[in-house]
Amino acid sequence: MIKVIVTWLWFIHIILCLENWPTLSDTLQVAIRSQRDVSMTVPIDQISNAGGSLNSMIFDQYGYTMDSMSYVDNFLTVGVQTFMVDLYWNEFTQVWQLCPAPIPNNVTSNIVDINWNNRSYKCDTNISTQTFLNRFNNFILETNTNFEVSLITVLLNLKSIHYTKSNMTIGYDSLFNHTIPGNSTLNATFSGLGTSLFTPEVLQTYRNTVAVDTTNMGFYNSSSALMPSLNMVLYTELRRIMLNVVSNELISSTRGYTITENDKMGLFFNDTLPTSIKATNSESMTHLCQNLVENFDTERTNFRFIIDNDFDPFTLSTVRQYIRCGLTPIFNATAYKVNSTRIRDLGQIFNAFIPYSLWSWAPFQPVTPNNQFTNSSSMSNGTIPYRCVLLNTNGWEVANCYDSYPFACQNSSSPHDWYIDPNKQKSYFDIDHDDCPEDFKFSLPRSNGEMLSLMNMTDTEVLPIWIDLNDLTVDNCFVSGGPYAECPYSKTITANTFVKSIAPSVVVGVVILILIFFEKVFRSNPIQTNRKRYWKRTLQDYYEKNDYEGVPS
Ligand SMILES: *[C@@H]1O[C@H](CO)[C@@H](O)[C@H](O)[C@H]1NC(C)=O
Ligand SMILES: *[C@@H]1O[C@H](CO)[C@@H](O)[C@H](O)[C@H]1NC(C)=O
Ligand SMILES: *[C@@H]1O[C@H](CO)[C@@H](O)[C@H](O)[C@H]1NC(C)=O
Ligand SMILES: *[C@@H]1O[C@H](CO)[C@@H](O)[C@H](O)[C@H]1NC(C)=O
Ligand SMILES: *[C@@H]1O[C@H](CO)[C@@H](O)[C@H](O)[C@H]1NC(C)=O
Ligand SMILES: *[C@@H]1O[C@H](CO)[C@@H](O)[C@H](O)[C@H]1NC(C)=O
Ligand SMILES: *[C@@H]1O[C@H](CO)[C@@H](O)[C@H](O)[C@H]1NC(C)=O
Ligand SMILES: *[C@@H]1O[C@H](CO)[C@@H](O)[C@H](O)[C@H]1NC(C)=O
Ligand SMILES: *[C@@H]1O[C@H](CO)[C@@H](O)[C@H](O)[C@H]1NC(C)=O
Ligand SMILES: *[C@@H]1O[C@H](CO)[C@@H](O)[C@H](O)[C@H]1NC(C)=O
Ligand SMILES: *[C@@H]1O[C@H](CO)[C@@H](O)[C@H](O)[C@H]1NC(C)=O
Ligand SMILES: *[C@@H]1O[C@H](CO)[C@@H](O)[C@H](O)[C@H]1NC(C)=O
């Protein structure tokens, strides 16, 4: 019962927070989840999930305030799993904080406008690093099921709030020593994440205990440090979040911060996690991608990011090309151009870009074509099984399992090695073990790197080709392993509830009733006007879509 109530409250919370925000369509949810599922067996450094920079996209624009914190929730809700954030060492108060400026002593309210280093910042003195981490803790709790679980990566830039003593800065010490709650070490700052944190210590323990690897991982780890698979981190170690310090601009001074061995036990640094971050305007895309393709075999273990900025923001097509060449995009610009319109609203930006940010599925896939009941050569009987997956020029797409195409054979011990025979075409059902050369098997790319190598070995005229992925056993549960592969969730969730968990119409129905109640309660409150309009629209859309009976509109 408690659980049910919590679920309702959660839905209300989501609906309240998402005023202009996209909710993920069913299709996107399926796409994101199946991308996660196919990547379960590859090491976590090969996983690629588009991310956003919180400072330039949220905090610098909307302030370091509580309202901005709900944007962090929104990012999480729409499936963002990589976050970049700047963390400041306050030399005046000797604690870590999010606000990039020191807080003056004479503050009279908790929201302060501060000028610092020729920039002005709006900071809420009630916001601590703990407030921020709690958003992640809440999300982790809410999604702690086999079905929803994900690994969050936080990329940290360490910076100093520093001043040099001069006759211009006399008295600064006592002027800016207002303390906001915080911790005086990095390790303590993040200890609130508790056992959700995937730490270098956990990694070291894994490395010490793991025996010889049986899967592909031997390949990935042959050139560099051993990394566990996503499956291992999420389901065995039960870790949900990792912190990776990607830049260190701490200023050394008598009041500065020194990174300790203890910090290195909780957070990853460049010596424990090889990471490369390139800026979009640093070199040409072709050059960047070519380098990657050429060096892939020698630099396998490597987190690879590409970050944009206002001089060279991602577009729908460039972001796809970057993902295609094995990079994970970090959105860091304040405005984007989509269909020659400049958009600044975060909700709009995400709406436009999310479908283009998966390395696997083509934008707006997986969908069954509308014409599935007509125009097919291979069908004479009833429904056409549009339930098998092809690799095409734009990514994966659903196709008719009975149609014949070439198919992707992957080297069992070297997953970046593929074999495709353009002249050998079969239906998905007919592809057999011995249709691939020795040591190769019919398979699919499980990371953007494997995808990159497959695309690189395949001339575009050969596409589309079958990859080993289908949802034949349970609708929308994409699995590899041939037509008889089972949906991993079907043991705990029946086919019927699987569909329901994607569109929980019963729960939503109840929430709608609660919302109607809320709407009446808040009718006289002017602050709620916008929100009310939003609810009205949501309700209206919902009635229209679902043909609800007995509910007044
Ligand atoms: C991110 O954007 C900010 C401006 O909003 C810019 O100053 C910064 O250099 C960008 N980061 C990178 C790594 O390009
Ligand atoms: C706090 O002190 C600074 C410098 O003395 C001054 O510029 C500012 O107006 C003061 N703010 C308040 C709220 O008193
Ligand atoms: C702030 O601006 C002034 C004048 O433009 C400049 O002299 C000073 O170096 C700047 N300070 C910082 C910290 O950038
Ligand atoms: C901010 O903190 C102060 C005490 O530090 C508290 O009185 C106030 O209610 C808080 N404001 C908000 C909006 O939480
Ligand atoms: C402050 O120092 C500068 C040089 O660093 C000097 O030119 C200036 O006269 C000093 N101002 C005062 C008020 O001492
Ligand atoms: C800030 O500095 C002033 C003057 O040195 C001192 O009186 C005050 O107690 C300090 N406040 C804090 C919070 O340290
Ligand atoms: C970190 O700081 C917060 C707020 O001051 C405090 O509640 C918490 O106990 C501190 N954590 C550690 C490990 O010191
Ligand atoms: C450092 O952080 C880790 C993980 O959060 C924790 O287990 C450990 O006790 C911390 N060490 C200290 C000295 O706080
Ligand atoms: C790690 O970063 C530090 C500076 O932040 C740099 O001096 C060092 O060379 C880097 N180490 C590696 C292995 O990249
Ligand atoms: C851009 O245009 C395409 C088709 O012209 C349309 O489907 C899409 O919704 C548009 N995107 C945005 C964000 O307006
Ligand atoms: C539909 O037709 C295909 C071949 O066209 C056949 O293999 C399949 O068994 C048929 N399905 C049913 C349910 O009859
Ligand atoms: C594959 O990558 C190499 C560069 O390493 C390039 O020379 C070659 O043309 C690529 N092949 C295809 C089909 O893209």
Side-chain angles (χ1 to χ4, degrees):
M1 189 60 201
I2 301 263
K3 218 173 168 185
V4 175
I5 292 172
V6 169
T7 314
W8 291 352
L9 290 176
W10 186 69
F11 269 101
I12 294 171
H13 160 86
I14 295 287
I15 289 170
L16 290 185
C17 290
L18 294 178
E19 295 206 22
N20 288 312
W21 272 76
T23 41
L24 285 184
S25 67
D26 297 354
T27 303
L28 265 173
Q29 289 187 43
V30 172
I32 291 172
R33 190 171 40 248
S34 52
Q35 177 177 291
R36 174 202 65 181
D37 288 351
V38 301
S39 290
M40 275 296 172
T41 57
V42 300
I44 50 170
D45 59 304
Q46 303 295 324
I47 307 285
S48 171
N49 290 302
S53 151
L54 297 179
N55 292 77
S56 38
M57 293 193 92
I58 303 182
F59 298 142
D60 286 344
Q61 295 190 61
Y62 304 100
Y64 293 73
T65 60
M66 281 297 172
D67 282 350
S68 293
M69 286 296 152
S70 62
Y71 281 120
V72 176
D73 294 340
N74 291 339
F75 269 51
L76 286 161
T77 314
V78 296
V80 176
Q81 287 167 31
T82 309
F83 295 81
M84 179 180 269
V85 69
D86 299 344
L87 204 62
Y88 287 86
W89 172 249
N90 185 332
E91 291 192 1
F92 296 95
T93 60
Q94 302 282 299
V95 297
W96 286 99
Q97 63 182 45
L98 287 174
C99 176
I103 313 290
N105 266 334
N106 59 355
V107 288
T108 47
S109 81
N110 62 312
I111 308 270
V112 237
D113 287 307
I114 313 160
N115 282 310
W116 185 251
N117 281 353
N118 295 344
R119 285 193 63 173
S120 75
Y121 299 97
K122 180 194 265 187
C123 293
D124 184 336
T125 55
N126 283 14
I127 294 215
S128 64
T129 48
Q130 198 53 49
T131 325
F132 173 66
L133 291 183
N134 283 342
R135 315 314 276 226
F136 289 95
N137 274 332
N138 291 344
F139 178 79
I140 286 170
L141 275 178
E142 280 161 4
T143 55
N144 216 13
T145 62
N146 282 357
F147 191 58
E148 294 175 291
V149 70
S150 59
L151 180 65
I152 297 164
T153 306
V154 181
L155 308 174
L156 293 167
N157 299 308
L158 305 183
K159 304 193 176 192
S160 285
I161 297 171
H162 170 81
Y163 78 96
T164 38
K165 278 203 157 73
S166 77
N167 61 5
M168 305 284 287
T169 58
I170 287 167
Y172 267 32
D173 280 346
S174 48
L175 204 61
F176 288 111
N177 63 356
H178 181 91
T179 44
I180 49 183
N183 304 96
S184 55
T185 70
L186 269 181
N187 191 58
T189 302
F190 294 102
S191 59
L193 293 168
T195 55
S196 311
L197 196 59
F198 178 72
T199 63
E201 218 180 348
V202 176
L203 176 62
Q204 198 50 53
T205 315
Y206 164 81
R207 285 176 177 166
N208 293 345
T209 53
V210 77
V212 185
D213 235 294
T214 50
T215 56
N216 284 342
M217 295 184 47
F219 164 81
Y220 285 112
N221 291 315
S222 60
S223 69
S224 186
L226 185 71
M227 286 286 167
S229 65
L230 184 60
N231 189 63
M232 171 68 81
V233 172
L234 292 177
Y235 294 131
T236 309
E237 307 272 6
L238 305 176
R239 307 289 167 156
R240 297 290 309 277
I241 182 165
M242 61 191 282
L243 306 162
N244 186 358
V245 175
V246 293
S247 81
N248 177 354
E249 293 169 25
L250 289 174
I251 295 167
S252 71
S253 97
T254 49
R255 321 187 66 182
Y257 185 83
T258 318
I259 289 157
T260 62
E261 284 308 308
N262 193 30
D263 294 336
K264 294 199 165 190
M265 282 160 73
L267 291 79
F268 289 98
F269 287 83
N270 62 358
D271 50 352
T272 34
L273 268 201
T275 305
S276 87
I277 300 192
K278 292 269 162 61
T280 43
N281 53 349
S282 68
E283 52 189 301
S284 81
M285 185 192 295
T286 25
H287 188 235
L288 203 65
C289 289
Q290 199 138 25
N291 261 349
L292 266 169
V293 174
E294 280 163 11
N295 295 329
F296 222 89
D297 267 358
T298 48
E299 293 168 15
R300 279 169 205 153
T301 307
N302 204 343
F303 291 77
R304 302 172 299 269
F305 299 97
I306 177 94
I307 185 163
D308 69 350
N309 48 53
D310 281 333
F311 303 108
D312 192 1
F314 293 131
T315 65
L316 294 184
S317 84
T318 60
V319 81
R320 253 195 111 56
Q321 286 168 273
Y322 282 122
I323 291 170
R324 276 307 184 65
C325 76
L327 296 162
T328 298
I330 306 286
F331 288 79
N332 177 54
T334 50
Y336 288 89
K337 219 168 178 181
V338 173
N339 289 354
S340 65
T341 313
R342 245 172 87 86
I343 49 173
R344 298 186 63 92
D345 179 84
L346 283 174
Q348 276 185 328
I349 293 172
F350 276 96
N351 248 339
F353 278 92
I354 288 178
Y356 292 83
S357 317
L358 297 169
W359 58 262
S360 54
W361 294 99
F364 309 107
Q365 284 284 339
V367 286
T368 308
N370 290 329
N371 60 349
Q372 63 161 310
F373 291 108
T374 56
N375 181 28
S376 173
S377 48
S378 58
M379 277 322 295
S380 50
N381 58 357
T383 54
I384 300 173
Y386 269 87
R387 310 187 75 163
C388 298
V389 180
L390 284 173
L391 171 67
N392 212 335
T393 45
N394 281 326
W396 302 353
E397 59 186 46
V398 175
N400 180 350
C401 305
Y402 287 111
D403 287 348
S404 290
Y405 297 104
F407 43 91
C409 294
Q410 188 180 35
N411 188 322
S412 308
S413 55
S414 179
H416 287 203
D417 187 14
W418 299 87
Y419 174 86
I420 297 109
D421 182 350
N423 301 318
K424 197 166 179 179
Q425 308 200 352
K426 291 205 162 190
S427 83
Y428 181 87
F429 292 121
D430 291 337
I431 302 169
D432 242 336
H433 288 304
D434 49 11
D435 282 328
C436 287
E438 204 177 326
D439 294 332
F440 282 76
K441 64 172 200 286
F442 178 45
S443 188
L444 83 168
R446 293 187 180 275
S447 67
N448 62 350
E450 292 185 16
M451 181 86 158
L452 171 67
S453 60
L454 175 56
M455 297 296 274
N456 183 255
M457 282 190 190
T458 315
D459 288 324
T460 40
E461 310 91 73
V462 178
L463 296 175
I465 55 174
W466 284 123
I467 57 173
D468 185 13
L469 193 67
N470 70 77
D471 72 336
L472 285 161
T473 44
V474 177
D475 239 353
N476 286 326
C477 183
F478 285 90
V479 289
S480 62
Y484 303 108
E486 265 186 62
C487 172
Y489 309 110
S490 61
K491 287 181 197 105
T492 44
I493 305 177
T494 65
N496 224 354
T497 50
F498 183 85
V499 176
K500 278 210 188 102
S501 68
I502 295 168
S505 52
V506 178
V507 180
V508 172
V510 174
V511 170
I512 299 272
L513 291 176
I514 296 172
L515 288 182
I516 291 169
F517 168 72
F518 269 47
E519 192 195 6
K520 288 199 158 62
V521 170
F522 288 124
R523 182 154 288 176
S524 56
N525 185 342
I527 297 169
Q528 300 290 335
T529 336
N530 271 336
R531 198 158 271 179
K532 199 170 75 186
R533 219 178 299 128
Y534 175 73
W535 286 356
K536 268 218 164 108
R537 208 177 52 232
T538 310
L539 298 181
Q540 198 62 46
D541 289 349
Y542 196 80
Y543 299 149
E544 279 166 18
K545 225 168 61 198
N546 290 276
D547 221 356
Y548 254 70
E549 284 176 58
V551 183
S553 50

